[in-house]
Amino acid sequence: MRLWRLWSSWRARRAEAAKRVAVTTISATMVQPATPPPPTQPCNPTPGPTAGEEDKKTSEQLLKPPKLLEEDEVIERGGWSNQFEFFLSCVAYAVGIGNVWRFPYLAYKNGGAAFVIPYGIMLLCGGLPLFFMELALGQYVSLGPNKLFQEIAPIFAGVGWAMIMISALTAIHFNIILAWTFFYTFASFNAPLPWHGCNHDFNTPSCYPEDEASLCMMNNQSLFYYNKTCVDIDEYCATANFEGFNETYCIDPNDTSIIHPASEVHHRIIAAEDYFMQRMMRYEGKTWEDMGSMNWELAGCLFIAWAIVAASLIKGVQSSGKVVYFTATFPFLVLIILLVRGLTLEGAYKGIEFYMLKPNMTRLQEVDVWREAATQIFYSLSASFGGLITLASYNKFKNNCMRDAIVVSFINCGTSFFAGFAVFGILGFLANEMGVEVEDVVQSGAGLAFIAYPSAVIRMPVPTFWAIIFFFMLVTLGLGSQFAYVETLTTSIFDQWEGTRKYKGLVVVGICFAMFLCGLSMCLEGGFYMFELFFTWSAGLSVLFVALMEIFCVIYVF
């Protein structure tokens, strides 16, 4: 068995220490006066251990893990104040923003309730075993991924460093999403909400508010809303280089056979999308060649996000373990509130029916459904990022990590399923208000969080309150994952260069500040291009490759 590789160095140090003790004992004996011989043993002495018992005792001592042999190193490295903090940190790491803005869309897209079948199978066959394996490895060796794989098999040391690089790239762009949520959280304190209507200075001519546009149509069937006012059919068609054909159609003056409905000659943008792209991102007209100037408001929100991460990790897991009591539990409270509120809105049943109540079992015959189920469970559990190994490395050696793996995995998947009811209840309400089908308002990713939901909020009573709690929930969801990403980086430095542990606070602040500087490129007016580049490639195929190498290393090499 290859366990010798893991604790040979500890055994060597203990052997050297035993030699020193033996030399000291011999020296002390030489100077001591002679002692009388021991008394004669009785005729029936107590029998000593047999040879088999001696071999068993020796085997047990050899199999004693290195963690128990070096308790002084464990104290120096630090650990969780209690196991509940580790459990909450794992929950906060696994349950992230993707549970709210990605899983509900995938479930709707891939057959509704039928998607639960491949999702559950992938959890049991792939996600849960890998999750448990990483917790067990980190807990056994008490090292970050960079040192762990070097101890298991030096030739696979690059696997650990690849995990660290993936976590670093992910942390850079992930905190940009947190900066967006902070921006929206602060904006939510305004009344009315700033993404309501198209009468702001930042709105483009294509901004289309449904309520104001409907007023134009009510007054005159041939009036259309464009550039913050109502215009007639001729003027509206002229803005797209067409001419008015009748009250509802435009014609191409160069080719009279080309006739378009007036509603299609312009790409209409709802007010919430216009706010996201023009007010927050300031994206208009930017390219890779011209990224524009710095968006200082967004840069300030990014600084706040990194400052919170640095303050929470200033003492390592001892400080972050206290913060997760809030960041891991508050999102569940908000999701319950949003679900209750969503179910009371008109049209909510229509959205939930669209989400889960009409399963399409024929989709299970398609390979893409199973592929997306495997991808979602893999990224949702955050395996092969190094975070699970890092968090478990601060555990006590005898912690029941199998129990933690099972409970956290099912909490993660249950949260995704539960969040879908809250999200689609609100999307059903939005579709009912806009007079369209649910499929016309369903979006995934940033589109759901920053466009679809804000559009629904402005139609609710007390919209400011619902906006604040939703975006603050996204902040807490993001922070829980971000803590683990950054802790992976700091732990790798402390394990690689042990002398840096004396300057833990400086190392944490230095890493956060360096990554803040890296993220500033995404705060430019054209920074969305850089964000998409990081988002697409920082944790894509690289994570799958690292996972395969990790499994191969542990199963076939170790």
Side-chain angles (χ1 to χ4, degrees), residues 112-433:
F115 185 69
V116 176
I117 297 176
Y119 188 71
I121 292 175
M122 293 302 171
L123 168 65
L124 298 177
C125 297
L128 180 56
L130 187 58
F131 193 94
F132 169 63
M133 185 185 78
E134 293 199 354
L135 291 186
L137 286 173
Q139 183 170 305
Y140 181 82
V141 187
S142 292
L143 291 172
N146 58 318
K147 297 291 288 185
L148 183 146
F149 287 96
Q150 183 177 333
E151 294 288 343
I152 289 179
I155 196 173
F156 283 91
V159 174
W161 287 108
M163 289 182 175
I164 293 169
M165 181 58 67
I166 291 172
S167 291
L169 295 176
T170 303
I172 291 173
H173 81 263
F174 195 82
N175 237 25
I176 293 294
I177 300 177
L178 279 179
W180 296 350
T181 58
F182 274 113
F183 190 98
Y184 269 78
T185 301
F186 297 145
S188 298
F189 286 92
N190 295 314
L193 294 173
W195 54 83
H196 183 271
C198 294
N199 296 319
H200 306 282
D201 295 336
F202 58 82
N203 288 124
T204 60
S206 298
C207 184
Y208 186 80
E210 294 84 0
D211 50 354
E212 297 179 28
S214 61
L215 292 176
C216 293
M217 301 292 290
M218 289 176 60
N219 295 330
N220 190 329
Q221 188 68 22
S222 62
L223 291 180
F224 292 85
Y225 188 93
Y226 183 77
N227 198 14
K228 307 175 185 179
T229 187
C230 296
V231 297
D232 58 32
I233 184 65
D234 293 325
E235 185 177 353
Y236 184 75
C237 293
T239 59
N241 297 321
F242 286 88
E243 294 179 353
F245 180 72
N246 56 28
E247 290 186 349
T248 56
Y249 279 84
C250 299
I251 188 172
D252 189 340
N254 300 319
D255 187 352
T256 56
S257 63
I258 301 177
I259 302 177
H260 292 284
S263 59
E264 297 180 2
V265 298
H266 280 291
H267 173 63
R268 292 175 175 177
I269 302 174
I270 63 175
E273 181 179 357
D274 212 35
Y275 179 85
F276 176 77
M277 299 303 297
Q278 306 304 326
R279 175 63 183 90
M280 187 186 74
M281 298 299 300
R282 301 181 183 178
Y283 180 73
E284 182 69 19
K286 304 305 176 190
T287 63
W288 275 109
E289 292 75 20
D290 178 20
M291 297 285 283
S293 59
M294 181 63 66
N295 184 345
W296 291 108
E297 290 179 323
L298 193 57
C301 292
L302 180 63
F303 180 82
I304 292 173
W306 277 116
I308 293 176
V309 173
S312 301
L313 297 176
I314 197 72
K315 294 184 179 180
V317 295
Q318 285 83 7
S319 55
S320 66
K322 306 299 184 294
V323 180
V324 294
Y325 279 102
F326 177 74
T327 59
T329 56
F330 179 76
F332 292 96
L333 174 63
V334 176
L335 283 176
I336 293 173
I337 295 175
L338 290 177
L339 175 63
V340 174
R341 178 54 183 152
L343 294 178
T344 62
L345 296 172
E346 186 177 357
Y349 179 80
K350 184 179 179 182
I352 294 176
E353 182 183 40
F354 209 75
Y355 171 52
M356 278 289 170
L357 300 184
K358 290 183 177 180
N360 184 1
M361 305 302 293
T362 60
R363 296 298 306 275
L364 298 181
Q365 303 174 15
E366 302 178 15
V367 176
D368 286 343
V369 174
W370 293 85
R371 177 184 58 81
E372 292 196 344
T375 302
Q376 176 61 17
I377 196 66
F378 188 85
Y379 290 110
S380 180
L381 292 175
S382 301
S384 299
F385 282 76
L388 295 174
I389 294 175
T390 300
L391 295 176
S393 70
Y394 292 100
N395 262 343
K396 294 180 179 179
F397 182 79
K398 295 185 178 180
N399 176 60
N400 189 347
C401 58
M402 177 179 287
R403 173 201 60 200
D404 294 338
I406 294 173
V407 175
V408 172
S409 297
F410 278 93
I411 288 178
N412 173 69
C413 298
T415 302
S416 299
F417 187 75
F418 177 77
F421 286 95
V423 170
F424 269 83
I426 294 174
L427 292 180
F429 163 75
L430 176 61
N432 183 74
E433 288 287 305

Side-chain angles (χ1 to χ4, degrees), residues 517-541:
L517 295 179
C518 293
L520 285 178
S521 61
M522 303 179 203
C523 295
L524 296 170
E525 292 177 345
F528 196 72
Y529 290 110
M530 184 64 72
F531 172 81
E532 284 292 326
L533 180 66
F534 269 71
F535 183 78
T536 303
W537 297 106
S538 63
L541 293 176

